[in-house]
Amino acid sequence: MSAAPLTARTPAGASAPHRAATDRTAVRVHVRAADDDLRRSWHRRLSGAGIPLVEGGSPGPDLVVLAAGRTVDEAVESCPAPALRGGNRHGVLVAAQSVSPDGVLRAVRAGARTILRTTDATPEQLVAAVHSAHHGDGRLPYGVLVRLLGASQQSGPEPATAPADTPRTARTAPLTPRQTAVLTLVAEGHGNAVIAQALSCSEHTVKNVIYELMARLQVRNRAHAVARAVRAGLI
């Protein structure tokens, strides 16, 4: 199951589903891939969805960089850091054949917000993902999110923390994968609504996770939580 599509309904009489979606935007896409075969493959997919391509040039406000790889890590490596963390950071779409929760977390930390699994890249989903990347909206594969947010329920015993005689302020309990994902986005400056959209969950769920991680870190506010987690190397 893929992320919920954001494309509009096809007007009556349209010749193809992706044509109406393409008419919504003048956003162009530049493909960066781990190898030439992948690049050509994504060129065909994008052309089939009616999305205009750009062979070169510096990323701009009307350009989305599609970073393609067999894995999320490989895709992120194909995209220069400035495109992920610079002024065009939201204009990046990460596309990969294999999308794992760990890979998604690393991509989010690198600055990516929109991730698409190759098998989900129908013309409609591809147009929606390009739009999400252009606007800086979070869009992640649903199945990965379920595993990511539910990973804490399947995890084994937590690693041992500091000895009992260590002062409370010096002890920092490890975070669950779900808490790490939320706190990483908090550290990026996002509010509950954006975090909920990025992780495809409700704002109520985000609030609960934040309460849980604040209790675990023994802090009273978000800023303190981020500071303590950074000092402890948790994010």
Side-chain angles (χ1 to χ4, degrees):
M1 182 176 183
S2 59
L6 303 179
T7 52
R9 291 186 177 181
T10 304
S15 59
H18 63 77
R19 181 173 180 176
T22 303
D23 291 342
R24 301 165 60 218
T25 179
V27 177
R28 302 165 301 151
V29 174
H30 172 61
V31 178
R32 289 182 176 272
D35 58 52
D36 290 340
D37 288 340
L38 270 177
R39 183 164 48 254
R40 285 191 291 266
S41 174
W42 280 103
H43 277 186
R44 288 192 296 270
R45 288 175 180 269
L46 291 162
S47 297
I51 300 171
L53 298 170
V54 176
E55 288 295 338
S58 300
D62 65 338
L63 184 69
V64 168
V65 175
L66 188 152
R70 292 169 182 80
T71 65
V72 172
D73 290 328
E74 186 178 73
V76 170
E77 288 174 2
S78 72
C79 191
L84 288 170
R85 291 201 172 276
N88 192 50
R89 62 180 302 172
H90 294 307
V92 176
L93 167 59
V94 173
Q97 297 170 8
S98 174
V99 180
S100 68
D102 287 343
V104 167
L105 282 177
R106 286 190 290 271
V108 168
R109 292 192 183 108
R113 291 292 175 270
T114 309
I115 300 175
L116 179 68
R117 195 197 312 271
T118 302
T119 54
D120 296 334
T122 63
E124 293 80 9
Q125 291 286 343
L126 189 50
V127 170
V130 168
H131 250 285
S132 294
H134 177 57
H135 293 294
D137 299 331
R139 188 182 180 90
L140 306 176
Y142 177 79
V144 173
L145 285 172
V146 170
R147 284 185 288 158
L148 183 64
L149 297 177
S152 59
Q153 299 177 0
Q154 302 175 3
S155 60
E158 295 179 344
T161 55
D165 58 352
T166 303
R168 282 174 60 86
T169 56
R171 296 201 303 268
T172 302
L175 300 177
T176 66
R178 173 171 52 186
Q179 292 166 350
T180 300
V182 170
L183 191 55
T184 297
L185 294 174
V186 170
E188 295 282 349
H190 300 296
N192 289 355
V194 174
I195 294 173
Q197 186 178 30
L199 299 180
S200 296
C201 62
S202 68
E203 289 187 52
H204 180 70
T205 297
V206 173
K207 290 178 182 178
N208 285 342
V209 172
I210 291 175
Y211 290 147
E212 292 169 1
L213 68 86
M214 285 173 59
R216 181 170 291 214
L217 295 176
Q218 302 173 10
V219 297
R220 294 186 178 183
N221 57 55
R222 294 175 177 228
H224 192 187
V226 171
R228 177 160 293 182
V230 169
R231 285 197 300 267
L234 299 178
I235 59 174

